[in-house]
């Protein structure tokens, strides 16, 4: 359990996601990703992150629903949780393809 308020933790998540998004733009992606192994690690962390986001959104939906706050907000949070879970599942399906790439070229091979 985090000792920080949820808004602070979410702010750190946003900053990290923004840093990754900025680092993977065309001019910077070589420095951000670098090797095939780094790409695989990034995808693995994104899968785990998406699963945690799905859980957090689902729990927020339950919290809002339990407090009898706007029902539409609960529905939106639930739908977002489900979408985030689907995103994690889709990313998980990339793992066998990443394994093939790693087997073919090796984890330390530079991609740029």
């Amino acid at each position: 359990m985090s000792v920080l308020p949820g808004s602070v933790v979410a702010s750190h998540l946003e900053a990290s996601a923004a840093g990754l998004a900025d680092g993977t733009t065309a001019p910077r992606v070589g420095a951000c990703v670098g090797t095939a192994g780094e790409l695989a690690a990034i995808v693995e962390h994104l899968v785990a992150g998406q699963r945690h986001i799905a859980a957090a959104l689902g729990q927020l939906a339950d919290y809002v629903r339990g407090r009898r706050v706007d029902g539409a907000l609960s529905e939106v949070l639930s739908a977002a949780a489900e979408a985030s879970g689907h995103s994690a599942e889709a990313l998980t399906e990339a793992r066998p393809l990443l394994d093939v790439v790693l087997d073919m070229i090796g984890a330390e091979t530079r991609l740029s």
Side-chain angles (χ1 to χ4, degrees):
M1 179 178 161
S2 176
V3 296
L4 298 172
S7 60
V8 173
V9 176
S11 175
H12 286 278
L13 173 64
E14 179 188 8
S16 294
L20 184 59
D22 184 56
T24 55
T25 59
R28 297 182 186 93
V29 71
C32 181
V33 178
T35 65
E38 184 69 18
L39 174 63
I42 290 168
V43 171
E44 285 184 30
H45 289 299
L46 289 172
V47 168
Q50 283 298 118
R51 287 184 177 142
H52 291 302
I53 290 169
L57 287 166
Q59 290 159 186
L60 287 171
D62 291 343
Y63 180 79
V64 168
R65 189 177 303 112
R67 302 304 178 280
R68 299 180 202 265
V69 179
D70 186 359
L73 176 58
S74 177
E75 292 301 317
V76 168
L77 291 169
S78 292
E82 188 174 338
S84 187
H86 290 307
S87 176
E89 289 173 23
L91 284 169
T92 299
E93 293 189 20
R95 186 62 214 202
L97 299 171
L98 285 168
D99 288 339
V100 169
V101 170
L102 292 173
D103 288 343
M104 288 176 52
I105 66 173
E108 297 305 315
T109 301
R110 299 228 26 104
L111 298 176
S112 52

